[in-house]
Amino acid sequence: MSTSQGIRMKNPAHPGGFVKSEIVEALGLTVTEAARRLGVTRPALSALLNERAALSPEMALRIEKVFGVSMDTLMRMQTSYDIARARTREDEIELVPFEGQAA
């Protein structure tokens, strides 16, 4: 099903932006302090917060353990973001649908 036939997702938020605004900034933390609490490097957290890196399951678990935001929710945000980004490039992938029978 192409995007013209299916439901198009409307620019889902990157989980890094959510973590930045709803956790780090909302709690008045610096990136350095948040990274220290999460047990990660400042550059690693900064890349996530500035949407230059994807949220890993391990980072999602760390955020859940320290700040109480569900890992599952954060990972769903990442998946929705990834799907929407892939959909924007779907016209670049030209393939012929298989017309045989499935087993």
Side-chain angles (χ1 to χ4, degrees), residues 43-90:
L45 183 58
S46 179
L48 172 67
L49 300 180
N50 292 301
E51 303 179 13
R52 294 188 312 269
L55 176 72
S56 69
E58 181 180 316
M59 181 71 86
L61 182 57
R62 288 171 181 270
I63 292 167
E64 179 182 85
K65 285 179 163 280
V66 174
F67 299 111
V69 177
S70 167
M71 174 187 183
D72 294 26
T73 297
L74 293 169
M75 292 309 299
R76 278 194 295 275
M77 288 178 74
Q78 183 66 55
T79 299
S80 294
Y81 180 82
D82 292 343
I83 290 168
R85 288 197 60 209
R87 285 281 181 205
T88 66
R89 297 184 310 274
E90 86 174 292

Side-chain angles (χ1 to χ4, degrees), residues 1-9 87 90:
M1 179 181 296
S2 72
T3 53
S4 60
Q5 296 170 333
I7 297 172
R8 185 178 286 261
M9 298 177 90
R87 285 281 181 205
E90 86 174 292

Side-chain angles (χ1 to χ4, degrees), residues 21-62:
S21 65
E22 301 300 316
I23 298 174
V24 177
E25 291 175 351
L27 295 174
L29 297 171
T30 65
V31 176
T32 301
E33 175 63 14
R36 186 188 66 74
R37 290 178 179 268
L38 291 167
V40 298
T41 66
R42 186 191 187 290
L45 183 58
S46 179
L48 172 67
L49 300 180
N50 292 301
E51 303 179 13
R52 294 188 312 269
L55 176 72
S56 69
E58 181 180 316
M59 181 71 86
L61 182 57
R62 288 171 181 270

